[in-house]
Structures are given as structure tokens and as C-alpha cells.
Amino acid sequence: MAQCCINPSILSADFVNLEAELHRISNADAVHVDVMDNHFVPNLTIGLPVVKRIQEVSPVPLDAHLMIADADRWAPGFADAGVASVTFHAEASIAPVKLARELRARGAKAGMALRPGTAVEPYLDMLTELDLLLIMTVEPGFGGQSFLDLTLPKIRRARAAIDGSGARVALQVDGGITEETILRAAEAGANVFVAGSAVYGAADPAEAIDRLRAAGKR
């Protein structure tokens, strides 16, 4: 598994010129696509039809983060669309093990996300059902928020559990990732980093990705 992966979030991109924005981050490991429904989170972004079109033109794989209610019903459709990785929220799933297995059966990597206030311990027994565990380092719903250091102990506990289980699970963090905060998150055990404004707010997003990747290697 790669030591440090950078997945830029298009939430901070120019949506009017989205295809061009995707090609500006062609050196990324994946593009993080934030799907919000104005129910699970108080914001509305894009849905499956737009994700399908992004899938067709993106130079890198798609990492879909579903901040939506009723994930058990809607998440499999994103796997069917060919998205490389589909992450649902534990808080939005009634049967997370069943859903993770269904995503894998449809050809996608299965990811599960936890809000900052959601404990990781109740979900550690299902690590072998996952390819990715996402610890939110801000409250989901909006870009540009500051990194919450109170999530660092949870990241450490998740890393210890992953290492102890022997499961090949990527540990992703999302929210407030900069060249400064990525070091703290990496030291805690994260190895996949979602960055929005730190990438698309830079004059050269590709160069910003390289700098983040160098800062996140531990």
C-alpha cells in the first residue's frame, strides 16, 4: 500500500471548468468527489449523473465520498458507475457490513467514514470488510474548515487496530489538510489525505500535490 496518497477534493475546484480542473491534478492518486444531499449534511453538491460524467473524463481514479442519507439504497449505484472507491458514512447505514460487501461485489473498493464525534471502536470488528476507513477531521458538509486536532487520538487508535488486524485498509483523513496539518495526521497513522483548498487554492495545484505528498511521508 502506498505510504502517502493525495486525493484532492473537487469541492474547491471551479465547477464551471471541471474537466480542465481535473487535468490540473493528473499527478494525484485519486480525485475525491464529495456527494452531499442536503439531508445527511446541510449542503447540496452533485449526484450520480454528474459523477458518471466525471468518471468519463477524469485522468485519475474517482474516490467518491457519499455524505448522503440512506446509503444502503444509494451507494451501490456509484459502484455500478465504475467509481474506483465508494465511501459511505457509518452513521447513514443500517447494515454497513452488507453494504461494504455489496460495493466490493460490484467492483468498487469499500470505504466507511466516521464523523469527528463518532467512536471508531464499534466498527473495528469489520475492518476486514473494508478497503478504506475515513476519519473526518472536520464536520462533514463544507470545505475550507480548520483541522480538528481532537481527532488525532482516534486516528492513532484506528491505525493500531488496522496494524493489529493485519487487514490491508487505507486510513484516510479529510478536512483541513495543509502542509502543516498533514504531518500531524501522518504521524498519527493516516496514509491517504484529502485536500481541497490546499490544492485548488494554490497557483499550481500539481505542485501543491507534490509538496503535500513530500510533507506527508513519515
Side-chain angles (χ1 to χ4, degrees):
M1 186 178 296
Q3 184 71 17
C4 177
C5 296
I6 306 298
N7 296 9
S9 169
I10 58 170
L11 193 61
S12 298
D14 179 1
F15 271 64
V16 175
N17 300 291
L18 194 50
E19 183 174 0
E21 293 283 74
L22 290 167
H23 284 275
R24 295 176 77 197
I25 59 166
S26 59
N27 61 327
D29 296 281
V31 56
H32 193 80
V33 181
D34 294 296
V35 178
M36 306 183 193
D37 65 355
N38 197 31
H39 292 285
F40 181 72
V41 292
N43 197 5
L44 182 66
T45 55
I46 59 176
L48 184 55
V50 177
V51 173
K52 286 181 178 178
R53 185 68 182 119
I54 294 172
Q55 171 74 19
E56 293 171 354
V57 301
S58 177
V60 294
L62 265 59
D63 169 31
H65 177 193
L66 308 184
M67 287 167 272
I68 61 175
D70 199 3
D72 304 82
R73 177 183 179 186
W74 299 111
F78 290 83
D80 289 341
V83 173
S85 177
V86 179
T87 298
F88 62 91
H89 268 264
E91 304 91 347
S93 173
I94 295 173
V97 172
K98 180 177 181 291
L99 179 54
R101 290 180 177 180
E102 187 168 1
L103 293 173
R104 283 176 160 181
R106 297 188 185 208
K109 291 182 178 179
M112 187 174 67
L114 303 175
R115 288 177 179 265
T118 300
V120 69
E121 284 75 14
Y123 302 98
L124 295 181
D125 287 344
M126 64 174 288
L127 282 175
T128 55
E129 306 288 346
L130 300 172
D131 300 290
L132 180 149
L133 178 64
L134 167 55
I135 304 295
M136 291 298 299
T137 45
V138 298
E139 286 295 339
F142 295 93
Q145 299 182 65
S146 298
F147 184 90
L148 294 173
D149 283 283
L150 60 83
T151 61
L152 290 172
K154 181 161 68 170
I155 297 169
R156 293 189 187 99
R157 295 195 300 274
R159 169 51 60 194
I162 291 170
D163 291 347
S165 72
R168 293 182 60 81
V169 180
L171 184 53
Q172 185 181 79
V173 290
D174 179 3
I177 296 299
T178 65
E179 288 183 58
E180 176 193 4
T181 61
I182 194 172
L183 179 59
R184 300 204 293 278
E187 287 175 341
N191 69 314
V192 182
F193 306 90
V194 177
S197 54
V199 171
Y200 278 113
D204 185 340
E207 183 180 315
I209 290 169
D210 289 338
R211 291 198 305 267
L212 284 167
R213 189 177 284 120
K217 289 181 179 178
R218 51 185 178 88

